[in-house]
Amino acid sequence: MADTQLTPADEIRAAADMLRNALYPGAFSADRTVAALVRAHDPVATWLERHAGIAEELQQYLGEEFQEGALDHDTHDALTVARAMNQEDQ
């Protein structure tokens, strides 16, 4: 079976899904920093989903000409965050 490479939109969406589906045992007894990160998971997932849509639309528009360099700064930042989050799965 051939390896299929994820598109930037797929990578960003996977990170958003990871946040949406995560369980946070012990979060209530965590220190303030960890507790703040747990509270931020929903807004971060929403931000990632928005930029996954932007990346997908751009890729569809450009077709074969699409390159990551075509992503706007904020969507590229979302891709960077997604790759950091997805790194352990690779």
Side-chain angles (χ1 to χ4, degrees):
M1 178 186 290
D3 285 325
T4 58
Q5 186 169 352
L6 294 176
T7 66
D10 293 335
E11 290 183 76
I12 297 169
R13 199 165 281 116
D17 289 345
M18 180 189 305
L19 286 174
R20 294 258 189 237
N21 297 319
L23 300 175
Y24 300 99
F28 295 107
S29 61
D31 68 31
R32 289 183 64 180
T33 303
V34 173
L37 289 170
V38 170
R39 287 190 307 273
H41 88 276
D42 192 55
V44 172
T46 299
W47 174 74
L48 288 167
E49 288 169 348
R50 182 174 58 248
H51 286 287
I54 292 169
E56 186 172 50
E57 288 177 10
L58 184 60
Q59 186 170 349
Q60 288 174 353
Y61 177 76
L62 294 176
E64 294 294 320
E65 301 297 317
F66 175 80
Q67 295 180 14
E68 286 181 22
L71 297 172
D72 65 84
H73 180 76
D74 290 339
T75 303
H76 193 271
D77 285 349
L79 180 59
T80 300
V81 169
R83 286 183 172 160
M85 290 176 62
N86 295 329
Q87 187 172 11
E88 70 179 359
D89 294 334
Q90 295 178 354

